[in-house]
Amino acid sequence: MTELSWRGGAAAVVTLTFDVDAETPILAAGRQYADHLMVMSHQAYGPEVGVPRILELLAELAVPATFFVPGWVAEQRPGLAATIVEHGHEVAHHSYSHRAPTSLTPAQERADFERALAVFDAQGIEIAGHRAALWEATRTTLELIAEHGLAYDSSLMGDDRPYLLEVEGGPVTELPVHWSLDDWEQYAYLPEPQIGSVIESPRQVLELWRAELDGMRHYRCLFNLCLHPFLSGRPSRLLAVRELIEYAQSCGDVSFARCRDLAALARADRTLRPRKPPSVVADPTVYPD
């Protein structure tokens, strides 16, 4: 029987994803940082230096990727999203302001979500998927994704394979993430605002990610790598990314996909049974605020 799964016959599928946050996470921590030139330049490195370097690497190795871009970043740098698309990659929704949905009211989240969509629409960028700022999705997040006809989300951690969520307004394909495959946990550092406190060796990070890829090849999983251009766009770190991609290519049983293409394959995979989003009732007498 011919395999018609989301993996398409591969042992594991790699989605290379880049969150082009630029200044937004810092501004979300406090607008006063707009006047802190070290911090703003630290973040601007991502779109201005990291992204061109990453696009060059992806072209050289002939692998596709997905770039999650906040609407504010696309608005401030009008040619950025178009350049990514022109290179054959996907641009996806990553909020407008990079404020966590869990910190917003439903009305505020809707306004932020739709403001980003308006930016991409004005730039002629077709959006198929979404990733919540800080991965802090809410029920409103999933409902907005379905309401606006997006195909997938990539914010939750309920599996290490794609899964389908039953959401009011229509199904949403989830492409799950995990902290172990996020470069923020490895490299992020600023004294203020504090976004992390460790600057890890790229050799150790490469070892971690190679081990995870091998495990996912064994268990037939999705290797959904989340990178930030202001972090992994740095020279030694991008060389480690290159080595990781070349290792995956050498395995012979790993494929690469844009998130939108993988989501379409997952939606067509009849072995994936729809699930409901997490629904936990916390008794206030047991778990007080």
Side-chain angles (χ1 to χ4, degrees):
M1 179 177 176
T2 303
E3 184 177 24
L4 297 174
S5 81
W6 60 271
R7 290 185 289 105
V13 177
V14 172
T15 45
L16 299 171
T17 72
F18 297 90
D19 288 8
V20 191
D21 297 340
E23 299 90 350
T24 57
I26 307 304
L27 295 175
R31 63 187 300 273
Q32 73 272 17
Y33 294 112
D35 296 323
H36 196 317
L37 297 190
M38 180 276 286
V39 173
M40 290 295 98
S41 64
H42 181 266
Q43 300 303 120
Y45 180 98
E48 294 174 12
V49 179
V51 168
R53 189 174 283 164
I54 289 163
L55 291 174
E56 182 179 344
L57 173 66
L58 296 174
E60 186 177 343
L61 298 181
V63 290
T66 298
F67 290 73
F68 290 90
V69 183
W72 186 92
V73 177
E75 193 173 55
Q76 295 293 313
R77 298 172 171 88
L80 177 65
T83 297
I84 292 168
V85 172
E86 286 166 6
H87 279 76
H89 306 297
E90 174 188 5
V91 169
H93 188 306
H94 193 36
S95 82
Y96 176 80
S97 63
H98 207 279
R99 290 176 294 163
T102 51
S103 71
L104 305 175
T105 67
Q108 289 171 330
E109 182 179 0
R110 173 177 290 276
D112 189 85
F113 189 99
E114 293 179 345
R115 188 171 183 180
L117 285 179
V119 170
F120 293 119
D121 183 62
Q123 295 184 3
I125 304 297
E126 182 182 356
I127 298 296
H130 169 272
R131 174 173 284 166
L134 306 178
W135 294 342
E136 295 188 8
T138 67
R139 294 187 184 282
T140 298
T141 309
L142 298 178
E143 291 167 2
L144 285 167
I145 291 168
E147 176 185 334
H148 289 280
L150 304 189
Y152 72 88
D153 175 64
S154 184
S155 311
L156 306 184
M157 302 188 183
D159 208 326
D160 42 34
R161 304 177 180 93
Y163 57 101
L164 305 181
L165 290 169
E166 293 180 341
V167 178
E168 184 177 347
V172 172
T173 301
E174 183 63 38
L175 304 181
V177 292
H178 191 261
W179 299 113
S180 61
L181 293 177
D182 185 352
D183 65 349
W184 193 291
E185 305 312 305
Q186 308 298 329
Y187 300 134
Y189 172 79
L190 276 177
E192 186 183 359
Q194 187 177 29
I195 63 171
S197 58
V198 176
I199 299 180
E200 191 54 83
S201 163
R203 304 310 304 172
Q204 185 164 325
V205 176
L206 175 61
E207 180 183 355
L208 168 68
W209 290 343
R210 279 186 55 158
E212 191 69 9
L213 178 60
D214 286 341
M216 289 184 158
R217 290 168 58 215
H218 178 83
Y219 286 104
R220 305 296 193 257
C221 300
L222 166 62
F223 185 90
N224 191 4
L225 186 65
C226 178
L227 305 173
H228 298 77
F230 81 95
L231 296 173
S232 285
R234 294 278 169 181
S236 64
R237 299 167 184 178
L238 197 57
L239 287 180
V241 174
R242 171 190 284 276
E243 193 169 336
L244 177 68
I245 294 171
E246 290 175 337
Y247 172 71
Q249 290 175 322
S250 74
C251 291
D253 59 1
V254 175
S255 65
F256 292 79
R258 301 183 304 177
C259 287
R260 69 189 307 158
D261 300 324
L262 180 61
L265 291 173
R267 186 72 64 92
D269 188 337
R270 297 182 181 276
T271 67
L272 298 186
R273 301 183 181 278
R275 313 179 188 180
K276 295 187 181 299
S279 179
V280 177
V281 178
D283 184 341
T285 64
V286 178
Y287 298 106
D289 291 335

